[in-house]
Amino acid sequence: MADAAEQIFASVRNAAQRGAPLYLQLKKSIEDAVHAGIIGPGDALPSERDIALKADVSRVTVRKAVQDLVRGGILVQRHGSGTFVAPRVERVEQSLSLLTSFTEDMARRGMTVRSTWLDRGIYPPSPDEMMVLGLSSKEFVARVSRLRIANDTPLAIERASLSATALPDPAAVGSSLYAALEKTGNRPVRAVQRISAANLGEADARLLDVPAGSASLNIERISYLASGKVIEFTRSIYRGDAYDFVAELRLSGRADNAGAAA
Ligand code: 16G
């Protein structure tokens, strides 16, 4: 990126003459270059020393600008190999009107799915689980917690709780929870989902491979069997930079009224 580097860092030298704060100017120049596509996902940045020389600023200034951009998710640092423009995450558009599983959603998009197990086992239920799943304190809950990964990008952390009667052996769940429930006639047919905005804490951000404080969507899904019984209570954290939830809306009663008038 020799020419690109000249172009990016020359503007910092000019800004310096106008007395603008240097690390912010350098940060903005790099950010603008990424947004304009002058440097793209995966491109390596010159070394700290080279940037300092080209932009005519101190290495401390370069470090400060780069650290800010890493925190903001624009750049990534790999130990031993340098600093790169962060890979672009393909956004996933998810319909809010279909009750599908993560595996089905990703397979439909031709993406390969895998999960890392965070927890699976039988536990005494928490007060929330007792209330939502209708369990007594003497009954047990099956917990299935996974990091969901599509095309090698971690997209969501999902923590599902089910009555241990419906899922007596959580260790037997393979790659799909809904496929396991289908086998025992326990696949949900209806669900209510609550979505709220949040910022990721350190631990969840590390799992999702984004900077701490990044935007996320917290989703709570309560799913029902045809009998009306709750089968699943899942709390998920989705990456805000990777998901668009899409809902189709209709004007209430419009079709009926139009029909009545005709
Ligand atoms: C979806 C559901 C989750 C369900 C999972 C089953 C949302 C927000 N969550 O990710 O509640 O447990 O699918 O997926 O849509 P699986 O069958 O691939 O394990």
Side-chain angles (χ1 to χ4, degrees), residues 94 100-105 113 146 148 158 160 173 175-179 193 219 221 223 232 234 236 238 245:
Q94 173 67 45
T100 46
S101 74
F102 187 87
T103 307
E104 290 163 346
D105 289 338
V113 188
R146 296 167 290 174
R148 315 294 317 251
E158 290 190 337
V173 172
S175 52
S176 164
L177 173 63
Y178 280 11
Q193 222 163 258
I219 306 177
R221 180 184 281 195
S223 312
E232 173 201 14
T234 295
S236 309
Y238 278 69
F245 285 93

Side-chain angles (χ1 to χ4, degrees), residues 2-262:
D3 288 351
E6 262 321 310
Q7 194 181 335
I8 299 164
F9 302 124
S11 65
V12 181
R13 284 198 298 270
N14 298 338
Q17 286 156 16
R18 294 197 301 271
L22 283 178
Y23 92 93
L24 284 180
Q25 277 302 324
L26 178 58
K27 184 181 159 195
K28 187 169 180 315
S29 301
I30 297 174
E31 225 164 4
D32 288 351
V34 172
H35 290 143
I38 298 167
I39 43 175
D43 282 353
L45 242 64
S47 69
E48 189 179 287
R49 190 171 151 273
D50 274 4
I51 298 179
L53 278 173
K54 287 196 170 78
D56 198 18
V57 297
S58 74
R59 288 178 68 163
V60 176
T61 299
V62 176
R63 203 166 309 147
K64 206 161 171 232
V66 167
Q67 274 167 2
D68 259 27
L69 290 166
V70 168
R71 263 196 298 274
I74 306 281
L75 301 178
V76 286
Q77 273 176 323
R78 296 199 194 103
H79 285 295
S81 52
T83 305
F84 301 84
V85 178
R88 202 185 343 260
V89 176
E90 206 182 313
R91 290 186 78 86
V92 169
E93 210 171 90
Q94 173 67 45
S95 163
L96 280 175
S97 52
L98 296 171
L99 180 53
T100 46
S101 74
F102 187 87
T103 307
E104 290 163 346
D105 289 338
M106 298 306 137
R108 203 166 351 106
R109 298 182 172 90
M111 294 167 103
T112 53
V113 188
R114 62 191 172 87
S115 302
T116 305
W117 286 100
L118 305 175
D119 185 16
R120 52 179 155 177
I122 301 287
Y123 296 91
S126 70
D128 276 0
E129 289 168 331
M130 281 166 59
M131 202 172 71
V132 175
L133 295 169
L135 299 174
S136 76
S137 56
K138 294 190 186 65
E139 291 174 291
F140 288 91
V141 73
R143 293 198 189 130
V144 170
S145 302
R146 296 167 290 174
L147 175 66
R148 315 294 317 251
I149 304 163
N151 278 4
D152 287 331
T153 303
L155 288 184
I157 300 165
E158 290 190 337
R159 299 187 167 97
S161 304
L162 299 92
S163 152
T165 321
L167 189 69
D169 183 10
V173 172
S175 52
S176 164
L177 173 63
Y178 280 11
L181 293 176
E182 180 117 51
K183 280 189 201 147
T184 54
N186 281 322
R187 181 168 173 146
V189 296
R190 184 172 77 82
V192 175
Q193 222 163 258
R194 181 182 292 271
I195 304 178
S196 53
N199 293 99
L200 290 166
E202 284 280 345
D204 290 339
R206 207 170 312 120
L207 284 172
L208 291 170
D209 201 17
V210 290
S214 300
S216 65
L217 295 164
N218 285 0
I219 306 177
E220 200 181 89
R221 180 184 281 195
I222 299 178
S223 312
Y224 300 82
L225 297 175
S227 64
K229 190 178 166 2
V230 173
I231 179 72
E232 173 201 14
F233 174 36
T234 295
R235 282 160 286 190
S236 309
I237 303 169
Y238 278 69
R239 271 172 67 158
D241 64 343
Y243 254 80
D244 289 324
F245 285 93
V246 179
E248 184 184 305
L249 311 174
R250 287 168 196 264
L251 189 59
S252 154
R254 179 63 180 258
D256 294 352
N257 291 345

